[in-house]
Amino acid sequence: MCLIQCVRLLLRDAGVRKSAAAIRDIVGVPFKKYAPKHAILSLQNLGFKASFGQVNVAKINEDLLPAIAFSKSGEPLLIRPNPTDHGFLIS
C-alpha cells in the first residue's frame, strides 16, 4: 500500500472522505514525491494532530492509534485499534 492510500484510509476511519488528489493538494507546498512530511502536513491541514518519530512496537497503545508506521523496507502500514481484543490491526 502506498503512503497516500494509508492517509486516505486513516481519514476514512475518521469520517473524512478525500480523494488522493485532494490529499496531495491539501499539503500546500510543492513536491515531487509524497513523503512522510507531506502526509503530516496533509493531516495537520485537515485539523488532525500529526507528528513523525520513532516508537518501539511494544510501546504502541490505543492512545497512539490510528497511526501510519513504516516497515523496515520502508513500506507504509496503517495501524488501527482492534475493538474485539484491544490489540491492533495492521493493513
Side-chain angles (χ1 to χ4, degrees):
M1 179 181 318
C2 70
L3 181 56
I4 202 145
Q5 282 299 100
C6 284
V7 172
R8 279 189 79 203
L9 289 174
L10 187 147
L11 290 172
R12 188 178 302 158
D13 286 352
V16 179
R17 294 180 97 47
K18 296 284 183 191
S19 68
I23 293 168
R24 280 191 299 272
D25 290 345
I26 198 78
V27 171
V29 296
F31 62 91
K32 291 186 182 192
K33 183 178 179 200
Y34 195 79
K37 66 181 178 181
H38 303 115
I40 292 166
L41 285 171
S42 295
L43 292 167
Q44 288 174 339
N45 289 341
L46 288 167
F48 290 85
K49 182 180 175 185
S51 61
F52 186 77
Q54 290 187 325
V55 176
N56 186 318
V57 174
K59 302 242 182 214
I60 294 176
N61 60 46
E62 286 191 32
D63 293 337
L64 297 175
L65 301 179
I68 297 173
F70 294 88
S71 68
K72 288 184 180 186
S73 65
E75 178 185 0
L77 307 165
L78 180 61
I79 304 174
R80 302 170 171 154
N82 184 347
T84 59
D85 69 1
H86 303 290
F88 49 87
L89 302 169
I90 299 174
S91 43

